[in-house]
Amino acid sequence: MKPTSPKPSQEPSIEPSRESTRASKTEKPDTTRLQALANLTPDQSHRQLADEIGLDLDAELAKFRDHAIAGDHLPADPAAAFRNWLRRGRELGLGNTNRTEPALAGGFAHPTPPPRKPHRHSYGCTHVLNLLNRDAPDNDPLALQAAELLNQGKTETEALAALGLMKDDLEEIA
């Protein structure tokens, strides 16, 4: 008969049992953090950030709370997490970061394009052609003088008067 060896000893497992893992997943969220999130009141730093970025502070606070609760991301420091939320809004281009026009629905703002260089009128530009009732450019003194008057900021009527012409005169010439 062979001698039987004693049962090998089993070391206790380091990993938690399945039962404890399941139980922790079904537990309710940390009530202390949840209460801290519910009690969060925006302070001066939050107001200043929201104003700089052009965000609606109350709307952002509601979205922040909903996001934290829905994703079970209850922050240890809700005030700091909310400041980061507002800063992230700037990074994402939310709000009115350049203060050129109000934010659209959803918080996205479309910046106003930079101002264009003022149009420089010439004898061949459409403004001069329309003013002189022409279809094609003509590099004559009348067209050059009309372009110069428009470049000085004169209206069409003023430019025609300075040229000694009336709209009716142009129709007869054409």
Side-chain angles (χ1 to χ4, degrees):
M1 233 186 187
K2 289 184 180 175
T4 58
S5 62
K7 233 180 178 181
S9 64
Q10 282 187 321
E11 293 182 26
S13 173
I14 298 174
E15 297 186 25
S17 69
R18 288 184 184 175
E19 290 78 23
S20 67
T21 304
R22 253 186 243 122
S24 68
K25 287 182 181 176
T26 59
E27 286 178 10
K28 293 187 177 175
D30 182 358
T31 54
T32 307
R33 288 187 178 191
L34 188 60
Q35 191 60 47
L37 182 65
N39 292 340
L40 175 62
T41 305
D43 61 20
Q44 186 57 36
S45 67
H46 298 122
R47 282 186 209 83
Q48 184 177 355
L49 264 172
D51 285 345
E52 279 176 23
I53 300 167
L55 295 171
D56 178 347
L57 187 64
D58 294 330
E60 289 303 314
L61 180 58
K63 288 192 295 187
F64 170 72
R65 283 183 176 139
D66 287 347
H67 175 77
I69 293 168
D72 198 23
H73 306 290
L74 300 176
D77 183 351
F82 186 48
R83 277 190 297 278
N84 286 334
W85 173 275
L86 294 171
R87 287 185 194 108
R88 181 64 50 92
R90 178 186 305 151
E91 292 170 10
L92 295 174
L94 302 179
N96 188 6
T97 55
N98 64 1
R99 298 283 187 188
T100 55
E101 67 181 55
L104 302 174
F108 294 99
H110 297 288
T112 304
R116 289 185 173 178
K117 218 172 147 181
H119 173 68
R120 180 97 177 120
H121 298 284
S122 68
Y123 70 91
C125 79
T126 57
H127 304 108
V128 172
L129 293 176
N130 290 338
L131 178 68
L132 299 177
N133 203 18
R134 295 183 178 174
D135 295 326
D138 187 6
N139 189 4
D140 66 284
L142 184 63
L144 293 171
Q145 194 174 2
E148 185 56 37
L149 290 167
L150 291 175
N151 285 328
Q152 292 172 7
K154 305 272 189 217
T155 65
E156 288 185 5
T157 307
E158 293 169 338
L160 286 174
L163 293 170
L165 299 172
M166 304 279 295
K167 246 334 187 186
D168 297 334
D169 297 338
L170 294 173
E171 290 173 8
E172 289 173 13
I173 296 171

